[in-house]
Amino acid sequence: MTPDTVAARSDVRAGAQPGARFDVDRVRADFPILSRTVHGRPLVYLDNAATTQKPQVVLDAILSYYTGINANVHRGVHELSERATAAYEGARERVRAFFNAASTHEIVFTRNATEGINLVAQSFARPLLAPGDEILVSAMEHHSNIVPWQMACAAAGARLAVAPIDDRGELMLDELERRLTPRTRLLAITHMSNALGTVTPVRDIVRLAHAGGVPVLVDASQAAYHMRVDVRDLGCDFLVATGHKLYGPTGIGVLYGREARLEAMPPFLGGGDMIASVSFEGSTWNTLPYKFEAGTPHMAGAIGLHAALDYIDAIGFDRIAAHEAELLAAATAALADIPGVRLIGTARQKGSIVSFVMDGVHPHDIGTIVDREGIAIRTGHHCAQPVMERFGVPATARASLAMYNTVAEVEALARALRRVREVFA
């Protein structure tokens, strides 16, 4: 199979037909790892906020690249290089369409969302910042949307401002608006919290920020595999996403930036392919988006991501969202019935994440015990220590649900948590 045939095959495997019932069993059959066992029990994978599993079509796309057209891109005139270049740029066009960007000039491949945020922090924000200026974030951000801004602020004598969240884990829009001042140079906001599941009203936030002339970066790492993310509808200036949470490979991410913004920014990294010319006296830069893609890119990753986006679209976000809403409702109800369990994050607009604590039991003990039942959940601070501090807990246990999870798996988690309760009674 060549990368060109991946899209059609993914449609067959997903059994996707417009308006058809969501067939979770058929979807699960597309993911080889879901058939394995852990500790002698069927795997129940509920750690999707950390990374999702990969459908066979993504694995096939990567294998077909390495076995059929492996070559470097943008440089060679031979057949393999030309085919690899076409597949790599085809992936860029697929990402553009997925996020509805206006041009492929606005799509930069990165290693992950973190690298995209660092790129904007150093190439866009850092040159703008002066002592006393501010970068505004929310109190629910994970570390990758905090630390890069802290580094840029520290280098310029600027400061990081924080918009608070309430006890449900919802962003306090009036407080955010109050913190948008003439000194604010950029607002960086998550679309969906990895620790709470909160979905933020990004369109309203962008409108508020732009009213004050403040550009906005959206971290869509979590949101992008649960819901349609349309950069032109949101109106944002920048958006980042990561391939491995989009059912794609690790090591590939996406930075969307408005073309005018990216055009005005200096390169982030120097090296091959990001230059137009080089001499010992100086160098000039390549056009967009290559100006920001120094060195040999992750061709197999981009091609695998192409297959993953085809797969998601073949199933359809409407059906994915409806299925995940059913799972979230089931998980919320099941945990509410377990004595001593308290949810952390109860926003009215929420994705399929349940983060919780259990009286008298450390989250790590919860994770270890349910793992013996074959159930993979996340425990810890989820790279969001300020969120834990906001809710007065050192850590939580987190079950994060994806399109291939089932209500039966949610019930298995609830039974395992009741056993945890019995052990620590």
Side-chain angles (χ1 to χ4, degrees), residues 335 338-342 354-380 395-399 413-414 416-421 423-424:
L335 267 62
I338 300 173
V341 167
R342 177 167 59 95
V354 284
S355 196
F356 59 95
V357 293
M358 183 182 287
D359 290 346
V361 187
H362 194 282
H364 288 176
D365 291 328
I366 298 173
T368 300
I369 292 174
V370 303
D371 174 63
R372 301 303 298 181
E373 303 294 327
I375 301 171
I377 63 171
R378 197 70 157 191
T379 61
T396 72
R398 181 188 71 188
L413 173 64
L417 292 177
R418 289 186 183 281
R419 277 191 280 278
V420 173
R421 184 73 281 168
V423 169
F424 284 88

Side-chain angles (χ1 to χ4, degrees), residues 18 34 72 75 95 183 245 257 279 355 367 374 406 420:
L34 297 181
N72 216 322
R75 295 173 176 86
V95 171
R183 312 214 70 156
K245 292 178 184 173
S279 72
S355 196
T406 67
V420 173

Side-chain angles (χ1 to χ4, degrees), residues 5 16 47 51 60 127 155 205 209 244 248 272 302 305 331 333 342 347 350 367 379 381:
T5 64
D47 193 18
T51 194
D60 288 345
I205 292 168
H244 71 93
L305 179 59
R342 177 167 59 95
K350 188 174 173 182
T379 61
H381 54 61

Side-chain angles (χ1 to χ4, degrees), residues 270-281:
D273 217 23
M274 52 75 68
I275 51 87
S277 66
V278 175
S279 72
F280 286 115
E281 287 70 42

Side-chain angles (χ1 to χ4, degrees), residues 85-411:
T85 299
Y88 181 69
E89 292 305 323
R92 194 188 309 277
E93 167 56 26
R94 188 66 186 85
V95 171
R96 182 210 65 76
F98 190 81
F99 290 108
N100 194 31
S103 166
T104 53
H105 294 175
E106 299 180 324
I107 301 299
V108 178
F109 283 125
T110 61
R111 287 185 301 158
N112 43 48
T114 298
E115 184 173 277
I117 295 171
N118 275 275
L119 192 162
V120 176
Q122 294 302 320
S123 291
F124 178 76
R126 175 69 183 84
L128 290 177
L129 292 172
D133 285 344
E134 295 179 345
I135 300 288
L136 179 59
V137 298
S138 84
M140 73 178 87
E141 304 305 322
H142 67 145
H143 298 165
S144 292
N145 204 26
I146 297 173
V147 178
W149 309 117
Q150 287 177 326
M151 294 168 67
C153 286
R159 65 180 292 270
L160 191 70
V162 182
I165 57 177
D166 63 19
D167 291 341
R168 300 178 70 100
E170 294 180 345
L171 183 65
M172 301 169 72
L173 271 181
D174 55 342
E175 293 293 333
L176 178 136
E177 186 173 14
R178 195 167 67 81
R179 284 165 173 76
L180 285 165
T181 74
R183 312 214 70 156
T184 309
R185 294 290 171 259
L186 184 136
L187 166 62
I189 188 79
T190 183
H191 200 329
M192 177 178 162
S193 164
N194 73 315
L196 306 172
T198 304
V199 175
T200 58
V202 171
R203 196 181 298 107
D204 294 338
I205 292 168
V206 171
R207 178 179 52 78
L208 288 174
H210 282 182
V214 176
V216 179
L217 177 142
V218 176
D219 177 2
S221 301
Q222 289 298 326
Y225 71 100
H226 295 293
M227 65 190 77
R228 175 65 64 197
V229 175
D230 183 325
V231 294
R232 283 191 276 185
D233 180 58
L234 296 177
C236 56
D237 299 88
F238 302 100
L239 182 138
V240 296
T242 193
H244 71 93
K245 292 178 184 173
L246 279 159
Y247 305 100
T250 56
I252 187 74
V254 175
L255 165 66
Y256 156 80
R258 290 191 182 212
E259 187 165 353
R261 298 284 192 196
L262 294 177
E263 198 67 67
M265 292 160 52
F268 176 51
L269 298 172
D273 217 23
M274 52 75 68
I275 51 87
S277 66
V278 175
S279 72
F280 286 115
E281 287 70 42
S283 302
T284 58
W285 314 136
N286 205 341
T287 56
L288 291 175
Y290 312 111
K291 180 172 71 172
F292 296 107
E293 294 182 1
T296 297
H298 188 8
M299 291 87 75
I303 291 166
L305 179 59
H306 184 164
L309 301 186
D310 282 347
Y311 184 83
I312 292 171
D313 276 344
I315 294 176
F317 271 116
D318 288 347
R319 295 196 302 160
I320 293 171
H323 176 66
E324 292 182 351
E326 179 184 357
L327 295 175
L328 177 62
T332 303
L335 267 62
D337 277 347
I338 300 173
V341 167
R342 177 167 59 95
L343 291 180
I344 304 295
T346 55
R348 287 162 290 192
Q349 297 297 319
K350 188 174 173 182
S352 53
I353 287 177
V354 284
S355 196
F356 59 95
V357 293
M358 183 182 287
D359 290 346
V361 187
H362 194 282
H364 288 176
D365 291 328
I366 298 173
T368 300
I369 292 174
V370 303
D371 174 63
R372 301 303 298 181
E373 303 294 327
I375 301 171
I377 63 171
R378 197 70 157 191
T379 61
H381 54 61
H382 316 300
C383 298
Q385 287 179 294
V387 177
M388 301 297 113
E389 185 177 350
R390 166 63 180 79
F391 286 92
V393 296
T396 72
R398 181 188 71 188
S400 50
L401 307 153
M403 69 165 90
Y404 42 63
N405 291 126
T406 67
V407 172
E409 290 181 319
V410 170
E411 293 168 347

